């Protein structure tokens, strides 16, 4: 298993500003992902955070809006840039260990006003 | 690309009764299938997975799921529901990456 610490747990931000979310894992992992979850909705994959190279983004998500860093095998950040109310959501960090078993952080609840 | 469907937005059962949360999938190769549970204001917790082997998979908290290849289904089941099982349940399929269903809100009434 893995213990994932995600910070901040929640934030209220002004539109036009940016927020950086941190994800720290207690062990080295190869696969790390960022998801977005609208309240009461399913998870949508934003990108795969690759160590040592640029993140791989899913359709509808771009690096300028959601820059991701992955400096080592235990840490990643997701920035939500130039925020608008439509970005209000829960952002989740996830890692995969073993045979495709995913573990999730507690999530960051973002409200943009 | 892989996909997963949860046909029911909401499932209501009485405590002590059996429960079933439905999931169907589409994937090009052999499926890796998962169930996760999310309690209010919490992240997702892993319940169980099917990779290969027995079609009946047993997981956490007394839950189990049955893999049915001919029906491309992976329904989550529990013989006797508890009020504390009330939560949001997600089915997921893994191919190149993990894809989640829309979620089913399970409510167990005393």
């Amino acid at each position: 298993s893995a213990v994932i610490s995600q910070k901040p747990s929640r934030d209220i931000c002004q539109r036009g500003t940016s927020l950086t979310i941190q994800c720290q894992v207690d062990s080295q992992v190869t696969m790390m992902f960022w998801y977005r979850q609208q309240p009461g909705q399913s998870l949508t994959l934003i990108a795969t955070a690759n160590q040592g190279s640029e993140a791989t983004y899913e359709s509808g998500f771009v690096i300028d809006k959601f820059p991701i860093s992955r400096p080592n095998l235990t840490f990643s950040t997701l920035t939500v840039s130039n925020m608008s109310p439509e970005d209000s959501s829960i952002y989740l960090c996830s890692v995969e260990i073993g045979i495709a078993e995913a573990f999730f952080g507690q999530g960051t609840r973002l409200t943009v006003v | 690309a892989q996909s997963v469907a949860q046909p029911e937005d909401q499932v209501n059962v009485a405590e002590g009764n059996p429960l079933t949360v439905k999931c169907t999938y589409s994937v090009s190769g052999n499926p890796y299938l998962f169930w996760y549970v999310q309690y209010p204001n919490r992240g997702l917790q892993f319940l169980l997975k099917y990779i290969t082997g027995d079609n009946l998979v047993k997981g956490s908290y007394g839950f189990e799921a049955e893999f049915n290849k001919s029906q491309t289904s992976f329904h989550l089941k529990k013989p006797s529901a508890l009020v504390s099982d009330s939560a949001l349940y997600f089915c997921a399929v893994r191919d190149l990456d993990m894809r989640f269903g829309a979620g089913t809100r399970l409510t167990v009434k005393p």
Side-chain angles (χ1 to χ4, degrees):
Chain A
S1 66
V3 177
I4 303 170
S5 300
Q6 198 173 325
K7 296 179 181 179
S9 58
R10 60 178 61 229
D11 207 344
I12 301 173
C13 301
Q14 297 290 325
R15 68 176 66 200
T17 63
S18 297
L19 175 71
T20 295
I21 302 167
Q22 298 180 3
C23 179
Q24 178 76 53
V25 189
D26 67 344
S27 59
Q28 293 187 339
V29 295
T30 303
M31 306 296 288
M32 187 176 282
F33 307 91
W34 287 98
Y35 289 86
R36 182 171 69 183
Q37 183 183 22
Q38 303 285 356
Q41 302 294 318
S42 186
L43 283 73
T44 301
L45 181 64
I46 297 172
T48 302
N50 301 309
Q51 195 270 328
S53 64
E54 195 171 279
T56 306
Y57 290 84
E58 296 299 306
S59 176
F61 298 96
V62 294
I63 187 171
D64 290 345
K65 176 67 176 177
F66 296 102
I68 288 171
S69 78
R70 179 88 192 271
N72 55 53
L73 293 176
T74 63
F75 186 78
S76 177
T77 66
L78 169 75
T79 298
V80 186
S81 304
N82 189 25
M83 289 184 285
S84 66
E86 292 71 33
D87 294 321
S88 297
S89 189
I90 299 170
Y91 293 85
L92 292 155
C93 171
S94 172
V95 302
E96 277 197 12
I97 294 176
I99 304 176
E101 190 165 322
F103 295 88
F104 290 83
Q106 296 294 330
T108 297
R109 184 179 295 273
L110 171 63
T111 303
V112 183
V113 297
Chain B
Q2 75 272 33
S3 65
V4 62
Q6 293 179 244
E8 302 159 316
D9 295 334
Q10 176 94 28
V11 170
N12 298 314
V13 299
E15 188 175 31
N17 284 1
L19 68 87
T20 298
V21 183
K22 295 180 180 178
C23 172
T24 59
Y25 66 91
S26 174
V27 65
S28 56
N30 293 321
Y32 289 3
L33 297 161
F34 304 83
W35 276 101
Y36 289 86
V37 59
Q38 186 177 36
Y39 297 99
N41 301 313
R42 303 284 295 276
L44 273 71
Q45 297 179 33
F46 170 82
L47 275 180
L48 51 80
K49 67 180 177 184
Y50 172 83
I51 303 297
T52 186
D54 291 340
N55 290 342
L56 185 63
V57 179
K58 294 187 182 297
S60 307
Y61 313 121
F63 284 93
E64 59 188 29
E66 186 169 10
F67 170 66
N68 188 316
K69 188 173 183 177
S70 62
Q71 297 185 4
T72 61
S73 67
F74 190 57
H75 301 330
L76 181 70
K77 300 180 179 182
K78 187 172 182 179
S80 178
L82 300 172
V83 173
S84 57
D85 293 330
S86 299
L88 193 56
Y89 290 80
F90 291 99
C91 182
V93 60
R94 175 76 159 88
D95 190 358
L96 297 178
D97 50 51
M98 191 82 82
R99 300 288 169 168
F100 289 83
T104 299
R105 186 165 298 282
L106 172 66
T107 301
V108 181
K109 298 182 179 179

